Amino acid sequence: MEPDFLRNLILKAKHAYYYSGEPIMSDAEYDALEDQLRQIAPDDPVLALVGSPIPADTILTKARHSIPMGSQSKVNSEAEFMTWAQKSEGSAIHASLKGDGASAAAYYQQGRLVQAISRGDGTIGEDITANAMRFKGLPAWVGSERHGFTGAVRFEVILTVDDWTAIDPSRSKNPRNAGNGIMGRKNGHQSDRLTAYAFDIDETVQGQTYRFATEAEKAQRLTQLGFNLIPQRLCSTAEDAVAYFRETAEQREALPFWIDGVVLKMNDLGLQERMGVTSGRPKGQVAWKFDSSGAETVLTGVVISGGHTGAIVPTGQLQPVEIGGTTVSSVSLVNFDEIARLDLAVGDSVWVIKANDIIPKVVRVTHRPEHRQPILAPHACPFCGGDVGRRINTGGDEGVILECRNAACPKKSSGKINRWISSLDILGIGDVVLESMLDQLQIEDAADMYTLKDRFNELATLVTHAERDLRLGEKRANNILEAIEAKRVLSISEFLGSLGLEHLGKRRVEIMIRAAQGELDTLDDWRSGKLRDPSVAELAGAPNIAAPIQDGIDAMALLIDKMLANGVEILPPQDDLHGSVDSEAFKRKTVCISGKLPSGKKKADYQEPLLAAGYELVDEVNKDLSYLVLADAASTSSKAVKARKLGVRVMSEDELTGLLTAAS
């Protein structure tokens, strides 16, 4: 074996043995590798290493890129691309696949991989070295002993279709999000399922930065060094580049990994340098992204759904159509403002895409027939006939969400029972069983569930499918009662966070208790009206939503009393909630979203998911902000610049989705 190959295997084996707890070879096989290297190079520095080459405790610590990782400007059509290509001065165009993964950079010193950093905001990312050591296609050693590679290699971290299928046979989560989650795991689990595809290089030779002449020369050097290269092609003309884009678009479904476009660069690096940079984006490079998978179909109807918060949500029914390998028959219409913006009506032909290749979304009407049926926003709640209005957001303004204003709306009641059941993970009560309980046992709220232990016979004979005379049965009834009784004694965060109150989930209750320093330790404290006191609201870290939370608790007074009367017990706060306030952790609980997001979602769409996960959506960038979410995390907008100066992390929408997923 070649010495550099032996070094690479030895370093990876050392790391797997000491860090992951999942050895990639036996001790005898490892000893044989060291013996081979020792015979070739007795004084090789790799032989002197003891333990893992990468300390495990560095994973996910903040790290600064030695050379910032920027992003490309985008073109959305052939016309836009040809306008850009006219600046080529006759230079060839270097085209490469735009992998749908996460960008990162690997840094090498005299041959050895010393650090890998996620892209982050382009300047500061997270140290992922401990996981990157296990990536396929990323060598731990590059070059010979005397001429080991020193420099940086940029690469895309991708979960290939084969590996995605192996770890998630149902493909319930797209490979980009799944791969990003694996890359950021502290325990490194499944990191060996990720593949690194290199696409750029900076090399230092004898202390000086080596000046490559072309992109093609860079690619040749990456291949020579043993990196796994992203598929690419050198196009002699702009027309050839267009042909490559079209060819790639047609063949993307057959590729071994997901891509979302093609990256096009002037092959002449001197020309790229002369073209300069605008807003952090090099003018000599562009990304031409594919349209999301889509198809035309007909909107055949609209169904209105409601939930425990009273929100009234329109869902479109479609003539079934296949998009991206799955059949789509329904689509969220988001809200009635979006319906009006699209000028959408039943009977219209519509173009439906899978936003981020996952969520069906109507993007435009393609044909409006003569006898189309308008979709009208309801003037009364379709479930109770009560008044409806627009939800007031935390800033005091009307939002886009339509909601029922009737506190006694049965949809709210059943929704809140469902929220209680799902929040506390009470098993055995699905939608069918719950509907049967509501109809036959006159269950009005979650408190009534705690009376069912005295109604066993009624529960056991509950009819769940009248057409077949199917009943619940004693075994299922016993299981349900055991599940309910297991949730009779609750922490205050479980109790309040499961009532279905707007702005108040279990995690937020814990955060507020910890921050309030004894002011919110008991249920009586929460019911006393303290949250309307600005000083308490500020102390609890919820100055903008404390009063609405108090209003919600007050509105639940009868239900809370009924819960307690039916034997629900509240435990005192846990000891760890009585400690000092971690102000830095508290600052991490605010999120600002700015600009048009790639998914097409608006800020308001994230308000409830953020609140449920324990975060507050705010409008301003200041020193107390935790995250600023932008369409492009490398943006140099005024908000982005201000955020970086204040040390606020700037993230993409994908990273926000990951944050919410991790918090759920």
Side-chain angles (χ1 to χ4, degrees):
M1 292 185 186
E2 293 293 327
D4 56 335
F5 183 75
L6 288 169
R7 295 185 191 99
N8 184 55
L9 279 180
I10 290 170
L11 288 171
K12 294 227 175 205
K14 274 181 175 287
H15 180 69
Y17 182 84
Y18 287 102
Y19 171 66
S20 70
E22 300 174 1
I24 60 176
M25 61 182 67
S26 67
D27 289 349
E29 290 172 313
Y30 176 81
D31 290 341
L33 289 177
E34 281 204 343
D35 288 343
Q36 288 184 61
L37 183 59
R38 191 172 286 108
Q39 290 175 6
I40 299 170
D43 299 323
D44 196 289
V46 169
L47 296 172
L49 287 174
V50 178
S52 171
I54 302 296
D57 58 5
T58 60
I59 188 71
L60 301 189
T61 56
K62 296 298 181 186
R64 181 177 292 274
H65 290 284
S66 59
I67 301 173
M69 292 186 69
S71 60
Q72 291 100 6
S73 297
K74 295 176 178 60
V75 295
N76 298 304
S77 66
E78 182 177 337
E80 290 183 7
F81 167 72
M82 293 302 287
T83 298
W84 172 82
Q86 288 174 2
K87 307 168 187 175
S88 68
E89 299 180 3
S91 170
I93 294 173
H94 185 271
S96 62
L97 301 188
K98 187 177 184 298
D100 194 10
S103 296
Y107 296 92
Y108 291 82
Q109 286 288 343
Q110 297 178 342
R112 188 160 73 89
L113 174 64
V114 293
Q115 192 173 41
I117 306 174
S118 67
R119 177 184 169 186
D121 64 6
T123 301
I124 295 177
E126 292 180 325
D127 191 312
I128 58 168
T129 320
N131 290 344
M133 285 287 290
R134 302 176 65 192
F135 293 170
K136 290 180 279 192
L138 188 70
W141 183 280
V142 177
S144 65
E145 178 187 357
R146 292 187 178 183
H147 302 289
F149 169 68
T150 295
V153 170
R154 291 168 189 78
F155 59 95
E156 195 79 2
V157 184
I158 290 176
L159 183 65
T160 65
V161 173
D162 284 347
D163 282 312
W164 175 37
T165 304
I167 66 173
D168 181 14
S170 66
R171 299 188 181 185
S172 58
K173 194 177 190 180
N174 74 37
R176 179 187 60 251
N177 291 344
N180 289 355
I182 294 171
M183 186 178 77
R185 286 177 180 165
K186 286 197 171 185
N187 63 4
H189 180 56
Q190 295 180 326
S191 291
D192 55 346
R193 290 286 187 182
L194 300 178
T195 303
Y197 288 89
F199 60 82
D200 201 2
I201 182 173
D202 290 295
E203 184 169 8
T204 300
V205 178
Q206 296 181 346
Q208 301 293 320
T209 299
Y210 180 80
R211 294 183 65 85
F212 291 96
T214 64
E215 292 286 350
E217 186 184 348
K218 283 186 176 182
Q220 184 179 16
R221 179 58 172 160
L222 284 167
T223 301
Q224 181 186 32
L225 290 171
F227 287 96
N228 189 39
L229 201 63
I230 197 90
Q232 52 197 247
R233 181 183 295 175
L234 185 60
C235 304
S236 57
T237 66
E239 288 75 16
D240 289 343
V242 171
Y244 177 71
F245 176 85
R246 289 176 176 167
E247 176 187 320
T248 303
E250 291 174 0
Q251 298 176 354
R252 62 185 293 206
E253 298 296 334
L255 291 171
F257 55 85
W258 279 22
I259 61 174
D260 58 5
V262 171
V263 174
L264 300 134
K265 304 177 182 179
M266 301 299 180
N267 188 49
D268 186 335
L269 293 172
L271 173 58
Q272 284 195 40
E273 189 174 337
R274 293 193 299 275
M275 291 177 72
V277 176
T278 298
S279 300
R281 295 178 172 85
K283 293 181 181 180
Q285 304 178 13
V286 291
W288 188 353
K289 298 187 71 172
F290 303 127
D291 289 334
S292 295
S293 299
E296 186 178 49
T297 186
V298 176
L299 181 70
T300 59
V302 175
V303 175
I304 305 296
S305 59
H308 71 274
T309 65
I312 297 172
V313 181
T315 299
Q317 295 176 312
L318 306 171
Q319 282 185 358
V321 62
E322 186 167 309
I323 304 176
T326 59
T327 300
V328 176
S329 58
S330 64
V331 60
S332 171
L333 300 179
V334 187
N335 55 59
F336 290 94
D337 282 12
E338 180 69 3
I339 291 172
R341 186 187 70 79
L342 291 168
D343 185 18
L344 183 63
V346 174
D348 287 351
S349 295
V350 295
W351 187 261
V352 180
I353 68 168
K354 280 190 172 182
N356 293 323
D357 292 316
I358 294 295
I359 304 167
K361 176 185 178 183
V362 174
V363 292
R364 65 179 180 274
V365 176
T366 57
H367 175 66
R368 295 180 173 89
E370 183 178 351
H371 301 294
R372 58 202 298 260
Q373 301 172 29
I375 303 168
L376 303 177
H379 295 291
C381 175
F383 309 106
C384 71
D387 292 338
V388 298
R390 288 175 176 268
R391 178 168 296 169
I392 305 301
N393 59 36
T394 55
D397 301 321
E398 288 188 343
V400 297
I401 299 174
L402 204 63
E403 65 177 358
C404 174
R405 297 285 171 81
N406 176 15
C409 177
K411 199 65 178 179
K412 285 186 180 180
S413 177
S414 62
K416 281 182 165 55
I417 298 174
N418 240 330
R419 168 63 183 266
W420 182 269
I421 291 168
S422 60
S423 177
L424 294 177
D425 199 21
I426 299 175
L427 302 178
I429 308 178
D431 291 341
V432 173
V433 173
L434 179 58
E435 288 299 324
S436 301
M437 286 180 172
L438 296 174
D439 293 340
Q440 300 168 49
L441 302 182
Q442 289 74 53
I443 299 296
E444 295 180 353
D445 50 44
D448 284 340
M449 292 197 304
Y450 293 92
T451 67
L452 291 175
K453 66 176 183 177
D454 299 322
R455 304 173 68 185
F456 177 77
N457 289 335
E458 292 178 78
L459 184 61
T461 57
L462 185 73
V463 178
T464 56
H465 295 82
E467 71 281 2
R468 290 179 285 168
D469 194 30
L470 290 181
R471 300 175 185 273
L472 192 65
E474 292 187 1
K475 183 176 180 180
R476 289 185 66 189
N478 267 320
N479 290 340
I480 287 173
L481 289 177
E482 287 178 5
I484 292 172
E485 291 304 306
K487 300 298 181 180
R488 186 177 287 276
V489 180
L490 304 169
S491 69
I492 193 167
S493 62
E494 288 176 318
F495 182 80
L496 289 175
S498 301
L499 288 173
L501 292 170
E502 193 172 356
H503 308 312
L504 200 66
K506 291 180 288 188
R507 183 177 178 185
R508 179 167 285 280
V509 175
E510 291 182 359
I511 291 171
M512 291 177 69
I513 290 174
R514 182 178 288 110
Q517 302 178 34
E519 292 287 342
L520 297 174
D521 278 2
T522 68
L523 181 59
D524 286 342
D525 288 332
W526 286 83
R527 302 183 71 184
S528 68
K530 285 182 178 182
L531 289 172
R532 291 195 183 87
D533 181 338
S535 62
V536 175
E538 186 73 34
L539 184 66
N544 297 323
I545 59 173
I549 289 174
Q550 190 70 71
D551 291 341
I553 292 173
D554 292 350
M556 289 277 191
L558 293 177
L559 175 61
I560 292 173
D561 288 340
K562 188 176 178 181
M563 286 272 193
L564 300 177
N566 287 351
V568 175
E569 299 179 26
I570 311 297
L571 294 169
Q574 300 171 7
D575 290 341
D576 62 353
L577 297 184
H578 287 144
S580 60
V581 180
D582 182 352
S583 61
E584 288 303 312
F586 219 51
K587 290 177 183 176
R588 289 198 298 270
K589 304 305 176 188
T590 56
V591 177
C592 177
I593 300 175
S594 180
K596 185 176 181 180
L597 297 175
S599 69
K601 288 186 178 181
K602 299 179 177 63
K603 281 197 302 184
D605 296 327
Y606 278 108
Q607 181 166 321
E608 287 195 19
L610 281 166
L611 288 169
Y615 298 91
E616 182 181 353
L617 185 63
V618 298
D619 295 322
E620 295 183 1
V621 175
N622 56 40
K623 63 181 178 63
D624 295 323
L625 182 68
S626 173
Y627 303 118
L628 172 63
V629 181
L630 300 171
D632 179 5
S635 169
T636 56
S637 67
S638 58
K639 278 191 174 181
V641 171
K642 181 178 180 181
R644 293 188 185 100
K645 284 182 179 178
L646 294 172
V648 174
R649 179 178 169 185
V650 180
M651 64 165 54
S652 66
E653 187 179 16
D654 281 345
E655 290 173 297
L656 173 63
T657 301
L659 186 74
L660 292 173
T661 300
S664 61

